[in-house]
Amino acid sequence: MESLISLVNKIQRACTALGDHGEASALPTLWDSLPAIAVVGGQSSGKSSVLESVVGKDFLPRGSGIVTRRPLVLQLHKIDEGSREYAEFLHLPRKRFTDFAAVRKEIQDETDRETGRTKQISSVPIHLSIYSPNVVNLTLIDLPGLTKVAVEGQPDSIVQDIENMVRSYIEKPNCIILAISPANQDLATSDAIKISREVDPTGDRTIGVLTKIDLMDKGTDAVDILEGRAYRLKFPWIGVVNRSQQDINKNVDMIAARRREREYFNTTPEYKHLAKRMGSEHLAKMLSKHLETVIKSKIPGIQSLINKTIAELEAELTRLGKPVAADAGGKLYAIMEICRSFDQIFKEHLDGVRPGGDKIYNVFDNQLPAALKRLQFDRQLSMENIRKLITEADGYQPHLIAPEQGYRRLIESSLITIRGPAEAAVDAVHSLLKDLVHKAVSETLDLKQYPGLRVEVGAAAVDSLERMREESKKATLQLVDMECGYLTVDFFRKLPQDVDKGGNPTHSIFDRYNDSYLRRIGTTILSYVNMVCASLRHSIPKSIVYCQVREAKRSLLDHFFTELGKMDQKRLSSLLNEDPAIMERRGALAKRLELYRSAQAEIDAVAWSK
């Protein structure tokens, strides 16, 4: 089970190194989900002495007033017997401290770096790891001592500031509270018990430690407290005997201090029956065992949090896109891949996978037919215009049977008006294709990552659509011009002739220009024009689809790709000029994702082995 605590220590160090500690998030951070032990006590309650007894080393700053002015996250790692003890600070990676007096000085110096040489406090923790064969695997968080009054040099809010800081740690449901209370003071006034009771009223997370038992007034003892009669907690109270100030001044060895502590409980009549569960050594073992149990019980919740957070990190990394390649080939490949993603999304809009393509069909099925119906042929086929054009077409020699040239001129002048709806259909489809390009640009996640490339791709696509529009307009208007240039003869051959209707071809030519005759010509021409409109209603969409829609699907970015191949690395880099904030965010997320995946694998391995 020791490996489980070591694993949690490792994850906590990695979390801290990556800033995954106390960061605002919709989910609790991994750090917050890991069980830890917070050491709480009033000033001069013996809190520092308890920690040093557990570690077996004299390494904490001492003095009057508030000595601990920043949280100290202390991780203990048991190493093989005979190995040399050493300490490491997270803010000084790869630097080992074998002199624990230097550790004490570095704690003081690092505190001053954050708070200045004042009596201010800071919530930014110091992270210290101690490796020793004389410790158990354990994580302890030493918090500033609770105080009741501000001393000179401290703001009036210091009392509340310290309490708020302590609460921010111990109110977390995964926090085990180590409440330190001096035995030579009334337990009812204990700062540690008071605040612990407020956040843990049932006492399920609180372990009580009674210090300075040897300093109690003669004739008094702490048996009622240690046996749980004075104040009951879920876990038995543990009494410790710290080094005296004289011992500290004489640099009495911690090993000797532990031996004297054992002797005290074994030889003092009031505590002899409790000696097996008293003392700093028992406290350390009990805390380690309890922490192991709590960690094991929290594994399912930790696994669930890790899995959910991994999914969130992967989703955000996907949204941010891949990092930029360093070489020109890699940059070119990245741009091509992004362009292909854009092109695929554009095609999906046209093919109905995404919305928008149906609007093009609406142009063909509604707008174009409606525009053709709105064409007014009254001017071209008015009596005056028919008479005028037929007369002009006959020239000096009147027509013999039917005014063929007049028919042709009337038909041509009518059909030419269809160019307007045809051009409008081309422009309408062009506008819709541009809209789909803009949608595809906005929906291509990688293009959001690179503003320069986004602008270039959008502009290149629109330029291609412009060229396609011109080709489409040419082809579509040619369809109209073809109808003007060559008439469907069969239509006229099927029409009844004047003789068949009882007409007399010997009548004067001027009789042929009466209103009835002209109306008949107008009706015939209108029928032919309507037939042509019906035909163009189907052929114009085919031309537009072939020249614009199909071509856009086939070669929207071909010209851009050609230009891309001519660009040097500097130009390619400018297209992939990413926002530095996004680059920094991606790097941080990638490291955090690596941490969580590593934690997932290791916790899963431990869980399966149990």
Side-chain angles (χ1 to χ4, degrees):
M1 287 295 287
E2 286 184 349
S3 62
L4 194 56
I5 294 182
S6 298
L7 171 61
V8 169
N9 284 349
K10 175 183 174 183
I11 294 172
Q12 285 176 328
R13 288 197 307 276
C15 284
T16 305
L18 293 178
D20 198 45
H21 173 207
E23 179 181 292
S25 171
L27 287 171
T29 62
L30 180 55
W31 171 280
D32 290 337
S33 72
L34 298 174
I37 301 173
V39 185
V40 181
Q43 288 183 29
S44 304
S45 61
K47 187 163 56 68
S48 295
S49 294
V50 170
L51 288 173
E52 289 183 333
S53 295
V54 168
V55 176
K57 286 291 179 182
D58 188 357
F59 68 99
L60 291 173
R62 292 184 177 275
S64 59
I66 302 176
V67 178
T68 304
R69 292 184 285 125
R70 290 176 61 181
L72 176 68
V73 179
L74 177 63
Q75 294 182 329
L76 306 181
H77 307 267
K78 186 173 181 62
I79 56 178
D80 295 336
E81 290 292 334
S83 299
R84 189 175 185 183
E85 299 171 305
Y86 67 93
E88 290 180 340
F89 288 94
L90 189 64
H91 64 272
L92 294 173
R94 296 181 296 277
K95 181 175 181 180
R96 290 188 175 185
F97 290 77
T98 54
D99 180 0
F100 282 81
V103 172
R104 181 191 305 111
K105 184 176 184 305
E106 180 57 32
I107 293 174
Q108 185 64 57
D109 291 345
E110 177 61 15
T111 300
D112 291 342
R113 290 185 197 109
E114 182 67 28
T115 64
R117 293 184 176 276
T118 65
K119 297 181 180 180
Q120 301 285 345
I121 63 168
S122 169
S123 60
V124 179
I126 298 173
H127 293 263
L128 172 64
S129 295
I130 294 178
Y131 300 80
S132 169
N134 302 318
V135 300
V136 292
N137 289 311
L138 195 58
T139 297
L140 299 165
I141 304 172
D142 184 22
L143 297 171
L146 296 161
T147 184
K148 292 183 172 61
V149 293
V151 298
E152 186 177 351
Q154 295 176 338
D156 294 337
S157 62
I158 191 74
V159 176
Q160 191 62 47
D161 291 343
I162 293 175
E163 183 176 327
N164 291 341
M165 184 192 301
V166 171
R167 283 182 185 277
S168 70
Y169 281 87
I170 67 175
E171 66 187 3
K172 296 172 184 174
N174 289 325
C175 180
I176 301 164
I177 305 168
L178 190 64
I180 310 295
S181 301
N184 59 350
Q185 294 179 14
D186 189 349
L187 193 63
T189 63
S190 168
D191 296 313
I193 292 299
K194 177 180 178 292
I195 197 169
S196 299
R197 182 186 294 173
E198 291 173 2
V199 299
D200 180 32
T202 60
D204 292 340
R205 296 189 289 116
T206 303
I207 296 173
V209 175
L210 206 60
T211 62
K212 304 185 180 182
I213 293 177
D214 55 327
L215 301 181
M216 296 181 70
D217 294 337
K218 289 185 179 180
T220 62
D221 60 60
V223 174
D224 284 349
I225 298 175
L226 294 175
E227 292 184 346
R229 291 192 296 271
Y231 184 77
R232 182 174 295 277
L233 295 170
K234 180 179 179 180
F235 304 97
W237 282 80
I238 299 174
V240 296
V241 173
N242 300 326
R243 290 182 302 166
S244 66
Q245 188 59 49
Q246 186 177 3
D247 292 338
I248 294 171
N249 294 338
K250 290 182 179 180
N251 293 320
V252 173
D253 182 71
M254 278 290 182
I255 304 302
R258 284 180 177 178
R259 184 172 59 252
R260 286 167 54 180
E261 181 185 45
R262 285 196 301 271
E263 290 173 357
Y264 176 83
F265 285 111
N266 284 325
T267 58
T268 303
E270 292 84 356
Y271 307 119
K272 194 173 183 179
H273 66 293
L274 300 172
K276 288 185 179 180
R277 60 178 182 86
M278 296 292 119
S280 303
E281 287 182 283
H282 172 76
L283 174 63
K285 291 175 183 177
M286 181 267 187
L287 290 176
S288 180
K289 184 177 180 180
H290 179 59
L291 184 58
E292 291 167 354
T293 303
V294 173
I295 292 172
K296 186 176 181 181
S297 70
K298 300 292 183 181
I299 283 179
I302 295 171
Q303 287 174 312
S304 176
L305 171 64
I306 289 175
N307 293 337
K308 193 169 185 178
T309 306
I310 284 175
E312 286 190 341
L313 291 171
E314 288 175 338
E316 187 168 358
L317 279 171
T318 299
R319 183 181 63 79
L320 292 177
K322 298 176 182 178
V324 181
D327 60 296
K331 292 179 190 296
L332 181 60
Y333 178 79
I335 292 173
M336 294 288 286
E337 285 296 299
I338 293 170
C339 289
R340 289 189 187 102
S341 296
F342 158 77
D343 198 46
Q344 182 60 35
I345 292 172
F346 177 73
K347 289 175 182 176
E348 288 175 1
H349 278 292
L350 289 174
D351 294 337
V353 178
R354 297 171 186 251
D358 56 305
K359 293 181 180 179
I360 294 175
Y361 177 70
N362 183 61
V363 172
F364 301 146
D365 195 49
N366 293 306
Q367 293 182 31
L368 177 61
L372 292 173
K373 284 181 181 179
R374 286 194 300 269
L375 288 176
Q376 300 294 327
F377 299 111
D378 294 349
R379 191 176 66 82
Q380 287 84 1
L381 300 179
S382 65
M383 292 296 181
E384 293 79 6
N385 200 51
I386 294 173
R387 181 180 288 109
K388 176 177 178 292
L389 288 182
I390 287 178
T391 302
E392 289 176 354
D394 282 348
Y396 71 91
Q397 184 174 343
H399 62 273
L400 299 177
I401 297 175
E404 182 176 327
Q405 292 302 320
Y407 268 98
R408 289 184 183 279
R409 290 190 184 185
L410 286 167
I411 290 171
E412 183 178 342
S413 67
S414 298
L415 292 181
I416 205 74
T417 61
I418 300 176
R419 292 172 66 98
E423 282 190 273
V426 171
D427 291 338
V429 171
H430 174 75
S431 178
L432 291 173
L433 290 173
K434 278 176 61 177
D435 288 343
L436 294 184
V437 163
H438 294 146
K439 280 186 179 180
V441 166
S442 65
E443 292 170 9
T444 305
L445 295 179
D446 289 336
L447 285 178
K448 293 181 179 179
Q449 185 178 345
Y450 308 110
L453 181 60
R454 182 172 66 243
V455 172
E456 290 285 342
V457 169
V462 171
D463 286 346
S464 292
L465 291 180
E466 289 288 351
R467 288 191 293 271
M468 294 170 193
R469 173 167 70 168
E470 293 308 311
E471 290 300 318
S472 178
K473 193 169 287 189
K474 245 185 244 182
T476 303
L477 293 180
Q478 279 178 345
L479 290 177
V480 179
D481 294 342
M482 287 176 194
E483 293 292 347
C484 297
Y486 188 79
L487 305 184
T488 305
V489 180
D490 285 348
F491 176 86
F492 295 97
R493 286 176 177 168
K494 293 175 183 178
L495 291 176
Q497 300 300 313
D498 287 347
V499 176
D500 298 336
K501 293 268 185 174
N504 186 352
T506 62
H507 283 179
S508 168
I509 191 62
F510 297 104
D511 293 338
R512 301 291 184 101
Y513 297 143
N514 60 40
D515 287 352
S516 176
Y517 182 66
L518 296 178
R519 271 195 298 271
R520 184 177 172 194
I521 290 174
T523 301
T524 301
I525 291 173
L526 184 59
S527 297
Y528 183 80
V529 170
N530 285 337
M531 181 196 73
V532 172
C533 284
S535 174
L536 289 175
R537 175 183 170 180
H538 300 294
S539 58
I540 287 174
K542 291 178 182 179
S543 173
I544 292 174
V545 167
Y546 185 84
C547 295
Q548 287 175 268
V549 180
R550 174 182 170 275
E551 196 64 18
K553 288 178 65 176
R554 192 180 68 84
S555 61
L556 184 64
L557 293 179
D558 279 7
H559 183 73
F560 179 67
F561 290 153
T562 302
E563 295 299 314
L564 203 59
K566 302 174 184 177
M567 295 181 186
D568 57 18
Q569 182 163 347
K570 184 177 180 181
R571 180 75 176 104
L572 293 173
S573 298
S574 69
L575 292 179
L576 297 177
N577 188 15
E578 191 175 22
D579 184 346
I582 293 178
M583 296 173 65
E584 184 179 349
R585 178 65 176 162
R586 185 193 298 108
L589 288 173
K591 288 180 181 178
R592 188 164 289 126
L593 181 60
E594 182 182 359
L595 160 66
Y596 275 69
R597 282 176 175 164
S598 175
Q600 181 187 51
E602 296 190 49
I603 289 179
D604 286 350
V606 171
W608 279 104
S609 67
K610 301 307 170 187

